[in-house]
Amino acid sequence: MIRVHHLNISRSLRVIWLLEEMGVPYELVRHRRDKKTMRAPLALRDLHPLGKLPLVEVGGKVLAETGLIIEYLLAHHAPHLAPAATDADAHWRYRYWMHYAEGSLMPQLLLKLIADKMGLLALPIRGMVKEQVKLHLDYVEKEAGRSPWLAGNEFSAADIMMSFPLEVSVMRAGVTAATHPNITRILSAMQARPAYQRAVAQAADKG
Ligand SMILES: N[C@@H](CCC(=O)N[C@@H](CS)C(=O)NCC(=O)O)C(=O)O
């Protein structure tokens, strides 16, 4: 059985969503952030030294990093959610977004979140952060206009991987249908998927 550790308001919704898309049974363990520090429970460090979520327990292993967890689940259960190498354009676009989501876009959005929290103290870096976030979001907007989904004509796990930074962009970086119509179109299409909605219902804190 696949056991998924989920943290409220976090990246780990993506793993639940993927499992719902695949229709593979899983056990969900819900964890809550500390209300003051927003940190995950420290006890999670017994499971993995960083104690960050998502974490997945499967076949006697503990998997960390959303991208790796997605790759593992696709390899074992749903290779069709990644474009095959024979479709070179979609395949390499897919692989690009799989890296870009956590490797490039999330760091910029986190910098913005921190700078916003710092208020006046962040004055020296505010311009740079703003310019970089704009550069990235304008780029994603242009790419998102090329096809119905991020990797091409078919929905893929790259859309799942990119969903979190795109949702953060709407919540924290001023992305709207007026400023970024292609991003918001893809995001709406993601959120309209029945599997996404089942994942949100599953993840909801029942406590
Ligand atoms: N790159 C990692 C990031 C993991 C991560 O930072 N998770 C956050 C949730 S969004 C977390 O656990 N934060 C709580 C903490 O740092 O204590 C991934 O994609 O899995």
Side-chain angles (χ1 to χ4, degrees), residues 141-160:
E141 170 65 14
K142 198 164 169 222
E143 286 295 308
R146 287 178 61 196
S147 48
W149 298 101
L150 285 170
N153 290 330
E154 305 299 330
F155 171 77
S156 77
D159 297 296
I160 297 180

Side-chain angles (χ1 to χ4, degrees), residues 7-12 14-15 33-34 37-42 44-45 50-55 63-69 101-103 106 110 161 164:
L7 188 64
N8 61 323
I9 333 169
S10 89
R11 290 161 161 92
S12 45
R14 293 179 293 191
V15 173
R33 291 179 186 271
D34 180 286
T37 64
M38 292 303 276
R39 295 260 80 108
L42 284 181
L44 284 163
R45 294 185 190 176
L50 300 180
K52 309 253 179 227
L53 295 179
L55 290 173
L63 305 179
E65 280 301 325
T66 313
L68 173 82
I69 294 169
E102 288 292 321
M106 273 316 293
L110 276 175
M161 192 67 189
F164 185 70

